[in-house]
């Protein structure tokens, strides 16, 4: 696959955590729905990732998977434009993970911020496991097996994509040797003189093997300073710092999801564990009830008391759902006690129900035809496997495992 094709390919995954809520919709799914029009998209359920933390109680995973895929479809992910599949159904992810594990320095995994953080925050679980340590590498395999150039993720996942870039670079460096080019580059290095050559080699190694960006910069200025090299050699010396061999696994870019934090019913980030969520496919009557009983500015006890939207979680929902004129109406009406909280919540209720209408319609179709969801996944698995197998074959050949 060419670099340009790789840039056009998007891959992202989600852990199966059960039914999704509006936070997932605003934070991730709306973005996926847009991307599917402009890119070749692969979206998958990361069920193996779920096992890294739920290995003791895995039985909830299966139902979560089908609920989540139904949510994706309900949100408007179109199986005609995007490829949808389940990670463990494409065993090439696991095989690439194993192969990559051979060349992954332990320190890279131990350094990933989520490793220590999650062990701390999920103290009730024993996460001192091999699988948990390796899970960012499994994520690298997920990305690299499709040679995906773009990976939509939230801020907490950027470090994983960065590590994936390091893995790809190291892989290409170790196994992407292209002889003619290398010999020419080596000859150019010799021409710089013994001492400079030695420094250049050391810096290059530091960048290629450890992803040390400072070493890359220093090596570049070293080449820039050379007086007696030809233009061709200069180009070669620049390119060679960053590898210069064949690119078998292209380096992916994180595509930071452009979303504000979706507030929950209590003003904190919407999350299942906080119990402050509205389900993506939640029934209208409970949606209405939840919003009606939402906490407002605690200072505003009576209808005649003026309030302060900055101290009210309802206002945060206006920030997501309301246009400028409604927002002005809230600000003025609240501060002057011109409107009541019930009035204020009305446009939010309407907006959420309106947003959910097409979601419910699509969901109903899939809820009534669960076999349809199964067959969408079966088809996605097949498409994904074709791509994954092709990459894996190249990887194995590069690593000396072709046996022809
Ligand atoms: N680790 C991600 C999460 O916890 C899910 C995930 C797994 C993923 N593999 C991926 C996301 C590959 C993007 C690309 O949310
Ligand atoms: Fe909150 Fe609106 Fe009531 Fe003001 S009027 S306290 S913003 S719900």
């Amino acid at each position: 696959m060419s670099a340009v094709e790789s840039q056009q390919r998007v891959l992202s995954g989600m852990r199966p955590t059960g039914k999704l809520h509006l936070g997932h919709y605003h934070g991730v799914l709306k973005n996926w729905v847009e991307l599917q029009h402009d890119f070749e998209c692969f979206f998958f359920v990361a069920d193996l990732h779920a096992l890294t933390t739920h290995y003791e109680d895995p039985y909830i995973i299966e139902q979560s998977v089908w609920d989540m895929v139904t949510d994706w479809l309900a949100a408007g992910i179109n199986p005609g434009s995007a490829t949808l599949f389940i990670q463990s159904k494409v065993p090439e992810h696991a095989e690439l993970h194993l192969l990559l594990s051979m060349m992954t320095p332990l320190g890279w995994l131990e350094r990933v911020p989520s490793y220590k953080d999650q062990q701390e925050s999920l103290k009730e679980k024993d996460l001192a496991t091999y699988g948990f340590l390796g899970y960012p590498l499994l994520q690298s395999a997920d990305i690299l097996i499709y040679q995906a150039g773009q990976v939509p993720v939230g801020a907490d996942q950027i470090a994983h994509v960065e590590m994936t870039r390091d893995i790809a670079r190291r892989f290409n460096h170790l196994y992407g040797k292209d002889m003619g080019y290398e010999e020419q580059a080596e000859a150019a290095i010799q021409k710089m003189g013994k001492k400079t050559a030695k420094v250049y080699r050391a810096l290059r190694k530091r960048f290629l093997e450890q992803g040390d960006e400072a070493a890359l910069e220093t090596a570049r200025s070293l080449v820039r300073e050379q007086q007696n090299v030809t233009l061709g050699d200069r180009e070669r010396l620049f390119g060679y710092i960053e590898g210069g061999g064949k690119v078998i696994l292209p380096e992916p870019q994180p595509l930071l999801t452009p979303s504000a934090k979706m507030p929950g019913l209590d003003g904190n980030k919407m999350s299942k564990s906080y119990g402050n969520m509205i389900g993506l496919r939640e029934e209208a009557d409970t949606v209405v009830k939840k919003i009606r009983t939402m906490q407002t500015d605690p200072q505003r006890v009576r209808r005649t008391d003026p309030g302060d939207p900055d101290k009210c979680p309802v206002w945060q929902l206006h920030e997501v759902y309301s246009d400028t004129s409604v927002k002005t109406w809230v600000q003025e009406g609240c501060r002057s006690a011109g409107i009541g909280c019930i009035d204020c919540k009305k446009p939010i209720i309407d907006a959420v129900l309106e947003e959910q209408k097409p979601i419910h319609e699509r969901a109903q179709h899939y809820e009534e035809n669960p076999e349809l969801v199964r067959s969408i996944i079966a088809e996605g698995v097949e498409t994904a496997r074709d791509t994954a197998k092709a990459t894996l074959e190249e990887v194995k050949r590069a690593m000396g495992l072709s046996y022809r």
Side-chain angles (χ1 to χ4, degrees):
M1 193 164 81
S2 75
V4 178
E5 286 168 319
S6 166
Q7 287 311 302
Q8 270 304 106
R9 186 170 290 169
V10 161
L11 173 120
S12 200
M14 223 190 259
R15 284 172 182 248
T17 50
K19 288 197 175 150
L20 301 183
H21 52 63
L22 290 179
H24 296 110
Y25 181 65
H26 286 266
V28 183
L29 290 175
K30 260 165 68 175
N31 189 233
W32 284 13
V33 169
E34 297 212 342
L35 289 168
Q36 70 182 349
H37 302 300
D38 302 329
F39 293 91
E40 182 191 10
C41 288
F42 289 81
F43 298 131
F44 74 97
V45 181
D47 60 343
L48 295 174
H49 284 262
L51 277 178
T52 64
T53 47
H54 283 72
Y55 60 91
E56 285 181 302
D57 53 342
Y59 311 103
I60 49 160
I61 294 177
E62 180 164 0
Q63 190 52 48
S64 293
V65 169
W66 296 120
D67 285 341
M68 194 166 87
V69 174
T70 306
D71 282 335
W72 291 359
L73 295 164
I77 306 281
N78 177 359
S81 359
T83 300
L84 308 181
F85 62 97
I86 297 170
Q87 184 185 29
S88 67
K89 291 266 190 194
V90 183
E92 287 75 14
H93 290 234
E95 197 172 346
L96 181 61
H97 176 215
L98 177 76
L99 293 172
L100 294 177
S101 76
M102 305 302 171
M103 46 136 279
T104 302
L106 260 184
W108 289 16
L109 293 169
E110 288 163 344
R111 221 195 288 146
V112 172
S114 61
Y115 179 59
K116 289 239 155 56
D117 293 355
Q118 283 210 43
Q119 273 188 341
E120 291 280 310
S121 64
L122 299 174
K123 268 223 175 73
E124 71 283 4
K125 290 187 179 142
D126 178 6
L127 292 182
T129 57
Y130 182 49
F132 186 70
L133 176 67
Y135 109 83
L137 186 65
L138 179 57
Q139 183 161 353
S140 298
D142 298 335
I143 298 167
L144 296 173
I145 196 88
Y146 300 101
Q147 303 184 321
Q150 316 278 343
V151 184
V153 284
D156 61 320
Q157 299 280 311
I158 299 259
H160 298 171
V161 183
E162 293 299 338
M163 193 192 82
T164 304
R165 293 171 62 84
D166 293 341
I167 296 280
R169 193 181 305 124
R170 184 169 160 88
F171 184 94
N172 295 329
H173 169 56
L174 290 170
Y175 309 113
K177 296 282 186 274
D178 188 341
M179 276 318 168
Y181 182 91
E182 186 146 336
E183 275 157 16
Q184 285 185 317
E186 284 296 332
I189 295 173
Q190 305 275 340
K191 284 186 221 159
M192 291 193 291
K194 234 186 184 151
K195 237 172 86 189
T196 316
K198 198 169 158 203
V199 177
Y200 176 94
R201 285 211 176 88
L203 290 167
R204 174 173 183 262
K205 191 159 176 237
R206 242 165 60 207
F207 175 66
L208 290 175
E209 294 189 356
Q210 285 146 45
D212 183 339
E213 299 280 337
L216 172 66
E217 267 320 303
T218 317
R220 278 179 180 156
S221 38
L222 184 76
V223 173
R224 242 176 257 125
E225 285 161 15
Q226 300 306 307
Q227 308 280 333
N228 304 322
V229 293
T230 64
L231 217 59
D233 275 349
R234 192 181 294 275
E235 285 297 310
R236 238 165 248 129
L237 288 166
F238 271 123
Y240 197 55
I241 310 170
E242 295 177 75
K246 231 168 73 187
V247 174
I248 299 170
L249 299 175
E251 290 177 38
Q253 294 283 351
L255 208 70
L256 188 61
T257 306
S259 76
K261 276 205 181 90
M262 174 76 181
L265 295 164
D266 58 0
N268 295 312
K269 183 178 185 241
M270 191 178 283
S271 154
K272 195 163 132 186
S273 53
Y274 297 159
N276 64 356
M277 55 160 204
I278 297 174
L280 184 72
R281 289 184 267 152
E282 187 155 340
E283 293 302 327
D285 51 347
T286 64
V287 171
V288 173
K289 197 149 106 210
K290 279 183 177 175
I291 299 175
R292 280 219 183 112
T293 55
M294 260 179 90
Q295 177 67 257
T296 61
D297 175 1
Q299 305 286 310
R300 198 171 182 205
V301 184
R302 282 172 300 255
R303 165 71 177 77
T304 48
D305 297 336
D308 181 357
D310 291 338
K311 300 198 174 98
C312 178
V314 178
W315 168 249
Q316 294 192 42
L317 287 175
H318 277 292
E319 294 266 42
V320 175
Y321 286 103
S322 301
D323 60 20
T324 324
S325 74
V326 174
K327 283 198 262 190
T328 310
W329 170 78
V330 172
Q331 285 287 345
E332 289 171 359
C334 178
R335 292 178 197 281
S336 64
I339 59 169
C341 293
I342 310 269
D343 308 319
C344 182
K345 288 171 172 178
K346 181 81 171 45
I348 302 284
I349 294 175
D350 292 344
V352 172
L353 295 181
E354 188 62 28
E355 176 171 77
Q356 285 177 322
K357 209 190 277 167
I359 296 177
H360 276 304
E361 278 166 18
R362 282 186 294 256
Q364 192 187 357
H365 177 59
Y366 293 109
E367 284 159 0
E368 286 165 1
N369 300 283
E371 280 314 306
L372 186 55
V373 179
R374 270 34 171 204
S375 72
I376 287 168
I377 289 294
E379 225 173 277
V381 165
E382 219 174 292
T383 308
R385 277 201 88 172
D386 285 344
T387 307
K389 276 181 183 158
T391 308
L392 190 62
E393 211 166 286
E394 246 191 281
V395 165
K396 285 169 100 171
R397 199 181 316 130
M399 292 182 90
L401 303 172
S402 48
Y403 302 109
R404 273 171 303 163

